[in-house]
């Protein structure tokens, strides 16, 4: 049986304000990513990305922060279950303008087979219980105190997730979006772990959880297998790399573990998917004033995050495009922006109707409120004929015209307010 070492990263989206983020960074000894690097190392790190990508993931000031849990009071966290041990030793925060992403770094020192690896993927990234009568695995700190992953992260960041429901639990459900890397330690003549089954998140040891042949075949056809010694698959928010490199000098050791380049590509796709879902929801819930602001947000979002070239390396762009394709970003974006264009056209029609009503109102008022003396001059009325009766009839027509124009406008406005438009 082939044995693999496991590395994993859970990704937690945080919808928090800049002030809350600032407090979280002060609570623990977070370090800006470039603080301990030389100028040459900083350039080397940023060289992987295009100019826009470097601004997003490796800004020269702020933006990305790293925390070694060994420098915190709780120390590294440990998950022990079913004779398997997982360590959680570091966190990374990437602060975008709209969302903050938290990388949760995990790894195993021991080697495991395919069934154990599948079990680890199901346990390590559990965030919420599936049902009220279910439970998630406990992580133990250096003092022996056991809590769920959610509770530990909540205390490290100083954010009460049970009160502030802004961490994306309704986006990814009970499990964090995640990436795992299975590095071969011991080769075998048997078939290596199936990346498709691992990305499906099933319990391989349980005969009840077996993929249908047609689904397994579909997943296998959608694997990313450019190189002979490693392959990966993104499916339902789970990204799995299986690395069969016979030596320690694996390309993934640098691009995924050390520099987290491929993890950043995955995170950018998640960011776009989250924001597109947010826009779709707000288009339904927002009123007229909020929609005007939403249109501006969407315009800025497309300008900043609609990335066609994320990396200076062609292969990295190929991998990024694979992530976009597997996340169905183009289809999701097309649906949302079709709805956006429809909503915007309705909004413009309402704006044009209001503008036309106002112009009509001004024109009629201007025509009615012409000096009565001018009207009298047109009809050659004498001073005797411009009596109280003349002025009374003029005022009556003015009031009637005002009522005919103003009352429908008021009714329309009241109906709009009632409907929340």
């Amino acid at each position: 049986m082939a044995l693999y070492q496991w590395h994993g990263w859970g990704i937690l989206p945080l919808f928090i304000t800049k002030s809350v983020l600032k407090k979280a960074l002060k609570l623990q000894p977070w370090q800006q990513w470039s603080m301990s690097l030389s100028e040459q190392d900083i350039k080397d790190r940023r060289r992987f990305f295009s100019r826009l990508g470097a601004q997003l993931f490796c800004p020269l000031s702020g933006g990305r922060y790293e925390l070694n849990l060994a420098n915190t009071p709780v120390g590294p966290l440990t998950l022990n279950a079913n004779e398997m041990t997982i360590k959680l030793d570091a966190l990374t925060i990437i602060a975008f303008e709209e969302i903050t992403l938290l990388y949760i770094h995990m790894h195993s020192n021991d080697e495991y087979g395919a069934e154990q690896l599948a079990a680890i993927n199901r346990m390590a990234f559990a965030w919420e219980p599936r049902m009220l009568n279910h439970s998630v695995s406990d992580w133990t700190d250096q003092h022996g105190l056991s809590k769920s992953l959610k509770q530990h992260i909540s205390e490290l960041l100083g954010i009460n997730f049970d009160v502030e429901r802004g961490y994306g639990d309704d986006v990814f459900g009970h499990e964090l979006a995640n990436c795992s890397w299975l590095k071969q330690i011991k080769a075998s003549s048997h078939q290596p772990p199936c990346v498709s089954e691992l990305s499906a998140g099933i319990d391989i040891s349980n005969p009840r959880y077996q993929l249908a042949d047609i689904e397994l075949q579909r997943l296998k056809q959608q694997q990313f297998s450019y190189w002979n010694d490693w392959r990966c698959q993104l499916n339902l928010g789970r990204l799995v790399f299986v690395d069969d490199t016979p030596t320690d000098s694996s390309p993934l050791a640098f691009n995924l573990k050390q520099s987290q380049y491929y993890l950043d590509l995955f995170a950018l796709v998640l960011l776009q998917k989250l924001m597109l879902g947010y826009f779709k929801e707000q288009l339904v819930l927002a009123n007229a004033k909020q929609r005007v602001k939403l249109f501006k947000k969407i315009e800025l979002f497309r300008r900043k995050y609609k990335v066609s070239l994320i990396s200076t390396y062609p292969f990295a762009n190929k991998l990024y495009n694979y992530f976009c394709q597997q996340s169905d970003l183009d289809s999701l974006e097309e649906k949302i922006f079709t709805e956006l264009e429809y909503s915007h056209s309705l909004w413009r029609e309402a704006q044009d109707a209001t503008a036309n009503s106002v112009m009509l109102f001004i024109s009629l008022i201007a025509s009615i409120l012409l000096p009565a003396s001018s009207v009298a001059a047109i009809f050659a009325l004498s001073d005797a004929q411009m009596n109280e009766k003349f002025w009374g009839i003029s005022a009556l027509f003015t009031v009637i015209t005002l009522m005919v124009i103003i009352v429908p406008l008021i009714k329309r406005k009241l109906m709009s307010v009632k409907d929340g438009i």
Side-chain angles (χ1 to χ4, degrees):
M1 179 179 66
L3 296 178
Y4 289 77
Q5 197 174 66
W6 182 90
H7 297 264
W9 297 266
I11 301 181
L12 175 65
L14 298 169
F15 298 85
I16 56 177
T17 62
K18 292 182 179 179
S19 60
V20 173
L21 175 61
K22 190 175 181 179
K23 291 179 182 178
L25 293 174
K26 288 182 177 179
L27 196 60
Q28 304 295 340
W30 291 88
Q31 187 177 39
Q32 206 269 347
W33 72 274
S34 63
M35 187 175 296
S36 60
L37 300 179
S38 66
E39 184 175 349
Q40 183 60 44
D41 291 335
I42 293 174
K43 289 182 179 179
D44 286 342
R45 178 76 177 272
R46 288 167 57 91
R47 188 175 287 117
F48 173 85
F49 294 102
S50 63
R51 179 176 297 182
L52 177 57
Q55 291 175 352
L56 292 175
F57 289 101
C58 297
L60 294 178
S61 62
R64 189 182 190 114
Y65 304 89
E66 298 170 348
L67 176 64
N68 187 341
L69 292 189
N71 300 327
T72 66
V74 299
L77 305 177
T78 305
L79 170 63
N80 291 300
N82 301 328
E83 300 181 351
M84 295 178 290
T85 302
I86 303 299
K87 295 286 186 179
L88 194 164
D89 54 7
L91 301 174
T92 298
I93 278 180
I94 303 181
F96 302 98
E97 291 185 7
E98 296 79 8
I99 299 177
T100 297
L101 296 181
L102 177 70
Y103 296 174
I104 304 173
H105 304 251
M106 312 171 188
H107 72 277
S108 70
N109 292 326
D110 300 325
E111 298 86 40
Y112 302 106
E115 292 185 358
Q116 292 173 305
L117 294 169
I120 289 175
N121 275 3
R122 291 169 60 85
M123 291 187 302
F125 305 117
W127 183 254
E128 293 271 11
R130 288 193 178 94
M131 303 287 287
L132 292 177
N133 59 341
H134 291 173
S135 61
V136 295
S137 302
D138 286 334
W139 293 75
T140 306
D141 63 17
Q142 64 179 356
H143 305 294
L145 185 61
S146 295
K147 297 179 182 178
S148 68
L149 178 61
K150 175 182 172 182
Q151 291 172 319
H152 280 297
I153 298 299
S154 175
E155 293 181 1
L156 286 168
L157 298 179
I159 300 174
N160 189 346
F161 292 130
D162 290 326
V163 175
E164 298 186 28
R165 307 298 290 180
Y167 58 88
D169 60 324
D170 56 339
V171 178
F172 297 111
H174 64 276
E175 184 181 74
L176 297 176
N178 59 81
C179 170
S180 57
W181 169 37
L182 283 55
K183 175 67 178 70
Q184 183 186 103
I185 302 299
K186 178 182 177 182
S188 172
S189 57
H190 294 83
Q191 186 176 2
C194 179
V195 66
S196 297
E197 291 182 326
L198 293 172
S199 67
I202 64 174
D203 183 359
I204 297 178
S205 62
N206 191 335
R208 292 174 51 217
Y209 291 96
Q210 288 191 2
L211 293 174
D213 292 339
I214 188 171
E215 175 65 11
L216 185 58
Q217 185 63 29
R218 184 188 70 84
L219 290 174
K220 286 182 177 180
Q221 291 175 354
Q222 293 180 350
Q223 289 181 17
F224 184 89
S225 54
Y226 187 87
W227 302 108
N228 186 48
D229 52 4
W230 69 265
R231 58 205 178 279
C232 72
Q233 182 147 25
L234 173 58
N235 180 46
L236 303 177
R238 304 182 188 96
L239 174 59
V240 178
F241 290 87
V242 175
D243 188 350
D244 296 323
T245 308
T247 63
D248 294 335
S249 59
S250 167
L252 294 178
F254 177 79
N255 292 314
L256 184 60
K257 179 185 176 183
Q258 180 179 335
S259 301
Q260 301 164 35
Y261 290 141
Y262 294 168
L263 189 64
D264 290 341
L265 301 181
F266 176 44
L268 182 57
V269 174
L270 291 177
L271 171 66
Q272 294 179 72
K273 192 170 184 179
L274 284 167
M275 290 306 299
L276 289 172
Y278 167 78
F279 292 145
K280 184 176 182 180
E281 180 181 296
Q282 291 303 307
L283 282 172
V284 177
L285 300 177
N287 56 36
K289 291 183 178 180
Q290 292 171 334
R291 285 188 178 186
V292 175
K293 295 180 180 178
L294 184 63
F295 296 149
K296 294 180 180 179
K297 284 185 179 180
I298 293 173
E299 180 184 357
L300 292 173
F301 170 80
R302 295 194 74 181
R303 190 184 308 166
K304 189 169 185 178
Y305 298 107
K306 184 62 177 176
V307 182
S308 57
L309 191 69
I310 185 62
S311 175
T312 58
Y313 293 86
F315 174 76
N317 285 305
K318 183 179 181 67
L319 182 61
Y320 172 73
N321 290 330
Y322 167 77
F323 293 158
C324 292
Q325 180 184 1
Q326 290 301 105
S327 298
D328 207 16
L329 270 188
D330 289 340
S331 175
L332 180 61
E333 187 179 50
E334 182 180 356
K335 291 178 182 177
I336 290 174
F337 287 112
T338 299
E339 179 67 26
L340 172 64
E341 291 173 1
Y342 176 71
S343 299
H344 192 267
S345 65
L346 292 180
W347 176 76
R348 290 303 307 174
E349 288 177 7
Q351 294 293 101
D352 293 342
T354 302
N356 293 336
S357 299
V358 171
M359 292 301 297
L360 176 62
F361 175 76
I362 293 174
S363 300
L364 289 174
I365 292 299
S367 63
I368 292 172
L369 296 182
L370 282 173
S373 58
S374 300
V375 177
I378 293 172
F379 291 98
L381 298 178
S382 64
D383 291 340
Q385 290 174 316
M386 294 172 60
N387 52 22
E388 293 180 357
K389 183 178 180 180
F390 168 78
W391 290 109
I393 293 174
S394 298
L396 179 62
F397 275 106
T398 300
V399 171
I400 292 174
T401 304
L402 288 173
M403 294 295 293
V404 170
I405 296 174
I406 293 177
V407 170
L409 291 176
I410 294 176
K411 286 184 177 180
R412 185 185 302 172
K413 181 63 177 177
L414 292 176
M415 289 296 293
S416 299
V417 173
K418 183 178 179 182
D419 295 337
I421 298 177

